[in-house]
Amino acid sequence: QVQLVESGGGLVQPGGSLSLSCAASGSIFRIVAMGWYRQAPGKERELVATINSGGGIDYADSVKTRFTISRDNAMNTVYLQMTTLKPEDTAVYYCNGRVYSDYVTWNEYWGQGTQVTVSS
């Protein structure tokens, strides 16, 4: 089993900044990719940003000029730096990881979620 533990989040005013981090632990042979998704009330969960083991990065169009994803491979940790936050960024943010536990078996894991609220 693999556990993803998120930290960060909270309440911030519009235009402000916030950072999230997510640490993976457990039966990890190799991490294929880690990333962040978010779900606002009444909406489906959506991709925010992902980063793969080769350093390839994808962003949602709505965040690509404002958010930065990074990864510490040695620490199995992924970060999300969020700037110029908008009320529409308000959501529960979930860490996601695609992890091989051995040479052949990979699974997808989710963190428990952390609330980000952008409001004045």
Side-chain angles (χ1 to χ4, degrees):
Q1 274 290 352
V2 173
Q3 296 79 42
L4 302 180
V5 179
E6 300 139 340
S7 59
L11 174 64
V12 63
Q13 293 187 343
S17 299
L18 210 55
S19 294
L20 305 179
S21 63
C22 172
S25 63
S27 301
I28 299 172
F29 176 71
R30 183 171 68 91
I31 296 178
V32 177
M34 293 184 74
W36 295 93
Y37 290 70
R38 67 186 181 186
Q39 188 168 19
K43 295 187 176 181
E44 293 187 354
R45 190 172 298 189
E46 63 177 3
L47 169 73
V48 177
T50 61
I51 182 168
N52 63 33
S53 58
I57 293 174
D58 285 319
Y59 289 104
D61 287 343
S62 60
V63 308
K64 64 176 48 179
T65 63
R66 302 182 293 119
F67 291 9
T68 302
I69 190 170
S70 61
R71 179 172 162 180
D72 183 334
N73 288 334
M75 299 297 292
N76 292 330
T77 300
V78 64
Y79 305 94
L80 186 69
Q81 177 67 36
M82 304 181 289
T83 64
T84 319
L85 282 159
K86 304 175 181 180
E88 51 264 43
D89 294 317
T90 296
V92 177
Y93 284 68
Y94 295 92
C95 180
N96 172 274
R98 298 182 181 180
V99 181
Y100 276 91
S101 52
D102 52 44
Y103 278 104
V104 297
T105 306
W106 73 272
N107 289 286
E108 186 171 43
Y109 298 92
W110 294 92
Q112 78 282 3
T114 186
Q115 178 71 45
V116 172
T117 302
V118 185
S119 175
S120 55

